[in-house]
Amino acid sequence: MHRDHGRTLYSRADLKKIHGISEPTLQNLWTDRANNGHPAAETIDGVMHWDGAVWVVWHKELQRQRAAAATTNAPNLQGDPDEEVGPAEAARVCGFADSATVSHYIKNPPEGWPDPDGHDLLPSGRQRPKWKRWRLWQYVAERKGRGHAGGRPKGRRGLAYPYQGDERLELARKALAENPRATNAELIPQLQAQAEKTYSRPTWNLILKSAREHPDED
């Protein structure tokens, strides 16, 4: 952490510690800066740093945008990103029909479901969990399953293999045909630039895996 004329500059290690985001994810965000608008870096003693105030506003807005691009439901993506909301509002944020899904997730969290950021103490003595809106936006953006980022398109049942008939799979097949020896890490930035919406690197890894296993439409 470095202070400069009233600003606080954070290294990637600082961002990991403060925001709980893994270094590979932070690296991927920086690598994809041409597409996601990542704030510019300042190098201090040979280490990249970012203005903390600018970075955190950018990151929360990115989660909202990614959530909007990743779901065909009707999630509530408005409001203060740092506002903590209970299960009922969390369900609306995620586009769930009611809070029953959130209640289930509290007991049996799926991959990527965030830990509560706080709790309300109810008159009964029970604690009601609360989550910051931006963490829920991040979950919506990255969750796996039908109709969500990382999953197969809604309504496509009985697929012979993952992403069959998906236009992203065709993009991946074409990229592999043109660059047969390229790694996923080399191909993903190209694919992200070609897709109409923003999809995460893990999603593209799955799509490329299917493209390698099924290079032709069966």
Side-chain angles (χ1 to χ4, degrees):
M1 188 182 302
H2 179 81
R3 299 190 185 280
D4 177 46
H5 300 291
R7 298 183 306 153
T8 302
L9 304 176
Y10 295 95
S11 67
R12 191 168 288 144
D14 295 328
L15 293 173
K16 174 185 177 182
K17 180 178 180 181
I18 295 170
H19 299 292
I21 302 172
S22 70
E23 289 203 31
T25 296
L26 291 169
Q27 176 62 59
N28 289 341
L29 290 171
W30 174 249
T31 300
D32 194 38
R33 60 190 179 278
N35 296 317
N36 62 30
H38 195 294
E42 299 181 37
T43 301
I44 301 172
D45 296 330
V47 177
M48 288 192 297
H49 285 69
W50 293 268
D51 185 320
V54 174
W55 190 93
V56 75
V57 171
W58 164 80
H59 185 252
K60 290 170 183 176
E61 174 59 17
L62 178 66
Q63 305 318 312
R64 188 192 68 77
Q65 292 176 1
R66 293 177 65 206
T71 181
T72 56
N73 292 336
N76 180 0
L77 304 177
Q78 305 303 314
D80 181 351
D82 285 314
E83 179 186 4
E84 295 183 359
V85 300
E89 181 61 18
R92 286 189 283 272
V93 170
C94 295
F96 299 148
D98 52 46
S99 61
T101 300
V102 175
S103 298
H104 174 70
Y105 283 5
I106 292 171
K107 298 176 182 177
N108 300 284
E111 181 182 350
W113 181 253
D115 293 331
D117 293 291
H119 293 81
D120 283 330
L121 182 61
L122 303 178
S124 64
R126 185 171 63 87
Q127 289 190 325
R128 180 171 58 195
K130 299 188 298 183
W131 299 265
K132 290 184 177 181
R133 286 183 183 274
W134 77 265
R135 293 193 186 278
L136 295 169
W137 296 343
Q138 185 174 40
Y139 169 72
V140 173
E142 298 180 351
R143 63 185 169 182
K144 296 178 174 60
R146 291 186 182 276
H148 307 302
R152 302 172 185 175
K154 257 188 175 181
R156 298 192 62 83
R157 298 179 181 276
L159 298 181
Y161 48 84
Y163 300 98
Q164 182 183 24
D166 192 313
E167 61 182 14
R168 294 171 296 177
L169 183 61
E170 292 307 310
L171 289 175
R173 283 171 171 158
K174 182 178 179 182
L176 286 169
E178 295 174 350
N179 304 277
R181 296 189 178 183
T183 65
N184 286 10
E186 293 169 333
L187 292 172
I188 287 174
Q190 170 189 334
L191 293 168
Q192 288 176 323
Q194 293 175 348
E196 293 183 1
K197 295 182 179 181
T198 301
Y199 299 98
S200 67
R201 296 181 76 87
T203 296
W204 281 114
N205 276 320
L206 291 172
I207 295 170
L208 283 163
K209 180 176 183 293
S210 185
R212 292 181 190 279
E213 294 175 349
H214 306 278
D216 300 305
E217 187 70 40
D218 295 339

